[in-house]
Amino acid sequence: MPTLLEALEEKYGMEPDEKEEHVEEEVLVSIFVPKLPPRQSTPQLLILNDCNIDRAGEPEDLKKKCRIVKELDLAQNKLNNWNEVFVILSHMPRVEFVNLSLNHLTGPIQRPPVTKMDHLRNLVLNNTKLEWCSVEKLLRLLPALEELHLSLNEYTHVLIDTVNPTGHPSDAGHSDAGGGQRTSPDATGNNNTKDETATSQTEEDTMSSCSCSSSTPHPTEENKSDPATVEPPPLQTDPHGGVRKLHLTGNYISEWGEICRIGRVFPQLEALVLADCPLRSLKPTDPQGNENDEESHKYFQHLKLLNLSNAKIDSWEDIDRLADFPSLCNVRLQYWPLWARTDSTTEHERRQLLIARLPNISILNGGDTIGAVEREDAERSFIRHYLDKPDAERPRRYYELIGVHGQLDPLVNIDLRPERKVKVRFTFEDQAIERTVDVNRTVSDLKSRLERIFEVPAARMRLFYVDQDFRDLQGLEEMKYPHKVLYSYNIRSGDEIIIERKVKS
């Protein structure tokens, strides 16, 4: 299998040039003349996915060729050793984005050749089966990290937390005098900027001794259906104040208490994607089974976007809990069992119910921004929806909206559709009878029916419509077009149709 350096040279056709690194020092004033064709220069966005890369390659050549790389995509390669990953990154001092998805990176992380990667802001580790102890070690090494992707890693629990496994605040000084959780002394809330000289030995000892035995076991068919089987104790860590976006799509996490650990570890989190996670409720429970509504939003003070599509939530009370998140303004709540249970309502009605219950939400399910008119219409519709319901079924939001809009009267149900069946008087010579007529039928069909009553062949029949209100003003209107529908004549009950026999010419 090729090294990264070999894959790079094969893709870009680069030849080593010993003079390259001295050019900038020797030339003070020069006219730029490209030494290499565009395909023979390393781009800042380096894409080498699915190249079977399993190791870094010659360090000096790698350093020479990759020093300007800012974005690196190594998805779907054969990397399985974090030492090789760190060797690669150590020769890319400017790298800000790294995608390592679909590399089998389950092994332990040893002390890397570089202490910290201060420019790396976006790290994608989807479907790598990365253990939580490795996630914890990476967070210490990435003080500038802002976006982290851990989707499709088969997690059933979140095994990092800022509190110890007994549930008490960390002894490392992360609780205030009252026992509440607080962020780190750093202005950004990021404890990863500690004095290196004071903590280097501790970190080295921890990295060398910590194993991944406490990380999530790979789920079997049984614990996929029951994710809360056996929970290993979480690793105690410091909060990381830099991470703003976290993606956990497609994992097997089902309890909101696990997600609260995410909120404690990332106190500045602004976007959290939990699509395709089988979450059953937004109400966490402690080990004794006690529920605490405050815990639902307590650790998400800065969260603006939350994606819960394909969750297993089946309760309107969980919608009300979303209204308590102080900064939340953008949510995705699609494909819930709750919507199947409320299939008697239309999609528009469900949207109105959601908008009315979530006063701070401005974007719902990826749609347009909710305007003032749509919100007011939704809130009024919400009040009327619960007018006939008993008090026990009315949510708290109903009474809040009564205080805003007042007590509303039910809407009058006015049906503007034309009558489908009308009673018409049919006259033929000295005969007159009344029959009920379906106005959705055609003139030709009406003649066929009248043929059996008056014994006049349909081909020999002429019909004349008489409007009861305009008989004297407009007289008779011949119904001469066989395929014309009866309702187009505005026929109403009480009108008359006169039948005549055609005269043979």
Side-chain angles (χ1 to χ4, degrees), residues 72-320:
L72 176 64
D73 187 350
L74 291 176
Q76 204 167 350
N77 280 289
K78 304 298 182 182
L79 293 166
N80 58 11
N81 188 323
W82 274 103
N83 289 337
E84 291 296 328
V85 174
F86 288 133
V87 169
I88 292 170
L89 298 182
S90 67
H91 297 309
M92 299 180 182
R94 301 183 186 180
V95 70
E96 299 176 359
F97 170 92
V98 176
N99 183 5
L100 296 171
S101 298
L102 293 165
N103 288 278
H104 198 66
L105 295 169
T106 58
I109 295 179
Q110 304 298 329
R111 183 85 178 165
V114 290
T115 305
K116 282 185 171 66
M117 288 156 276
D118 295 331
H119 295 283
L120 187 58
R121 292 180 172 83
N122 193 320
L123 181 59
V124 184
L125 297 168
N126 297 333
N127 206 355
T128 57
K129 308 303 182 285
L130 188 71
E131 307 286 359
W132 279 110
C133 67
S134 297
V135 174
E136 192 269 339
K137 292 171 187 175
L138 286 173
L139 292 175
R140 281 194 245 148
L141 298 169
L142 304 173
L145 189 65
E146 297 176 359
E147 184 168 347
L148 179 61
H149 294 247
L150 296 173
S151 299
L152 301 170
N153 282 330
E154 300 184 356
Y155 298 140
T156 59
H157 299 86
V158 176
L159 298 182
I160 51 175
D161 203 342
T162 57
V163 296
N164 61 34
T166 62
H168 298 294
S170 168
D171 296 332
H174 296 290
S175 61
D176 55 24
Q181 195 72 22
R182 68 176 175 85
T183 56
S184 64
D186 192 345
T188 63
N190 187 350
N191 277 10
N192 296 306
T193 55
K194 293 179 180 178
D195 180 19
E196 290 296 327
T197 58
T199 60
S200 59
Q201 184 61 43
T202 302
E203 290 184 1
E204 185 172 1
D205 293 342
T206 304
M207 287 201 178
S208 60
S209 62
C210 177
S211 68
C212 293
S213 60
S214 63
S215 50
T216 307
H218 288 250
T220 63
E221 290 302 320
E222 293 182 358
N223 60 23
K224 281 183 183 180
S225 58
D226 184 15
T229 48
V230 178
E231 176 186 359
L235 297 169
Q236 184 178 336
T237 187
D238 294 330
H240 192 294
V243 174
R244 299 295 194 271
K245 299 179 182 180
L246 178 65
H247 294 251
L248 284 169
T249 297
N251 287 294
Y252 304 126
I253 303 168
S254 62
E255 299 298 330
W256 189 254
E258 302 292 320
I259 305 303
C260 288
R261 292 175 179 170
I262 292 292
R264 290 192 287 267
V265 174
F266 304 116
Q268 303 298 319
L269 199 63
E270 296 178 1
L272 178 58
V273 180
L274 299 171
D276 300 324
C277 293
L279 287 163
R280 296 179 289 198
S281 175
L282 299 182
K283 193 170 187 176
T285 56
D286 60 22
Q288 288 74 38
N290 301 317
E291 297 180 340
N292 187 346
D293 262 336
E294 182 184 357
E295 296 287 315
S296 295
H297 59 274
K298 178 179 178 181
Y299 304 107
F300 300 95
Q301 298 298 304
H302 303 281
L303 191 66
K304 297 178 182 178
L305 182 150
L306 179 60
N307 187 336
L308 293 172
S309 293
N310 273 319
K312 302 302 181 185
I313 296 174
D314 193 18
S315 168
W316 283 104
E317 286 75 13
D318 285 310
I319 300 294
D320 295 333

Side-chain angles (χ1 to χ4, degrees), residues 426-489:
F426 292 94
T427 303
F428 174 65
E429 296 178 349
D430 58 349
Q431 302 179 57
I433 61 173
E434 285 190 350
R435 288 289 187 270
T436 299
V437 177
D438 188 341
V439 297
N440 290 317
R441 298 188 179 276
T442 63
V443 172
S444 176
D445 187 37
L446 178 61
K447 286 183 177 182
S448 298
R449 291 174 178 273
L450 293 174
E451 182 179 32
R452 297 191 295 269
I453 299 174
F454 296 104
E455 297 181 354
V456 178
R460 305 283 300 165
M461 189 183 298
R462 297 177 68 188
L463 302 181
F464 296 89
Y465 167 62
V466 182
D467 190 314
Q468 58 188 318
D469 295 329
F470 299 98
R471 177 187 295 268
D472 298 330
L473 294 176
Q474 66 184 30
L476 308 180
E477 180 182 357
E478 184 173 2
M479 304 169 73
K480 61 175 67 175
Y481 302 106
H483 299 295
K484 191 170 183 179
V485 184
L486 296 179
Y487 68 72
S488 62
Y489 291 96

